[in-house]
Amino acid sequence: RVQAAARRAAAASELRRQRCSRRLQAVVRGQAVRRALALDAAAATCVQAAWRASATRASFTSAVATIVSIQSNVRCATAVRKLAMQRTSAVAVQAQARRLLAKAELRRHRQLHTEHIGCVKMQAAARRRAAVQKKRVQRAARKLQALARGGADRRSIARSATAAVRIQAVWRSAVCQEAFARSVAAAGAMQGAG
């Protein structure tokens, strides 16, 4: 009986030891499996994060390229519009300058024509008086004519010079005012566009 009891006790102890070792092995295996699953999950998360980052970078690069292309096109269109406006302004200034020059030239020609007609009339009158007067008076008339012509020429030259200076001053003033107005308008347009 004692031996049977001892055997039973030893068998029970061995059974408990085996159960404990099985449980311990199950716990160790469970921890190993959980560690492996955690490593696999972490690796999958890293792969997914890398893929998402790559996709996000590609999308961002594409968006940046699209934005840069749009900005380039907008800047090109703005530059073309500004160039067209500047060309239009330059053409208008040139046309105004040509008009002013043509008017000044026409006035000068008319003034010269009027002065020429006046000189011709004076000469005709002097010739009529010279024909009527005597030889002595003719000599005096010739001297007077010479003096009158010299004075008329000097006055004509002085009037022509004064008129030319006034015409140049008026033309320069008009050109400067037109250029200033065009510059102010172009600056306003560029500020509005900017």
Side-chain angles (χ1 to χ4, degrees):
R1 290 181 179 177
V2 173
Q3 289 177 351
R7 288 191 196 103
R8 280 196 298 272
S13 175
E14 182 65 22
L15 183 61
R16 282 196 298 272
R17 188 183 64 77
Q18 288 178 359
R19 285 179 182 170
C20 287
S21 66
R22 285 193 199 102
R23 286 178 185 170
L24 183 62
Q25 289 174 354
V27 168
V28 170
R29 286 193 202 100
Q31 288 179 350
V33 168
R34 283 192 290 276
R35 277 196 216 99
L37 287 176
L39 288 174
D40 290 342
T45 302
C46 288
V47 170
Q48 289 175 348
W51 184 83
R52 288 191 193 103
S54 175
T56 303
R57 279 193 295 272
S59 175
F60 178 73
T61 304
S62 176
V64 167
T66 303
I67 291 169
V68 168
S69 176
I70 291 171
Q71 289 176 342
S72 176
N73 290 335
V74 169
R75 288 192 191 102
C76 181
T78 303
V80 168
R81 281 196 300 272
K82 286 181 181 178
L83 179 62
M85 290 173 59
Q86 290 174 354
R87 283 181 179 173
T88 304
S89 299
V91 169
V93 169
Q94 289 174 349
Q96 184 64 24
R98 290 191 191 100
R99 279 196 295 272
L100 292 173
L101 288 173
K103 287 180 181 178
E105 188 69 17
L106 181 61
R107 282 195 297 270
R108 189 178 67 82
H109 282 300
R110 285 178 179 171
Q111 186 176 3
L112 290 175
H113 182 67
T114 303
E115 290 175 0
H116 178 69
I117 291 174
C119 290
V120 169
K121 288 181 180 178
M122 288 176 59
Q123 290 173 354
R127 289 192 189 102
R128 283 193 300 271
R129 285 193 303 271
V132 173
Q133 291 175 353
K134 294 182 181 178
K135 192 173 184 180
R136 182 172 56 84
V137 178
Q138 288 177 354
R139 290 178 184 170
R142 289 192 192 102
K143 290 180 181 178
L144 286 172
Q145 286 176 357
L147 292 173
R149 287 190 191 103
D153 289 340
R154 284 189 295 275
R155 283 192 301 275
S156 174
I157 290 171
R159 282 195 301 271
S160 297
T162 303
V165 169
R166 287 180 183 170
I167 289 169
Q168 290 174 352
V170 168
W171 179 77
R172 287 191 191 106
S173 175
V175 169
C176 289
Q177 289 174 359
E178 184 71 18
F180 180 74
R182 294 293 181 184
S183 299
V184 168
M190 288 182 359
Q191 288 176 355

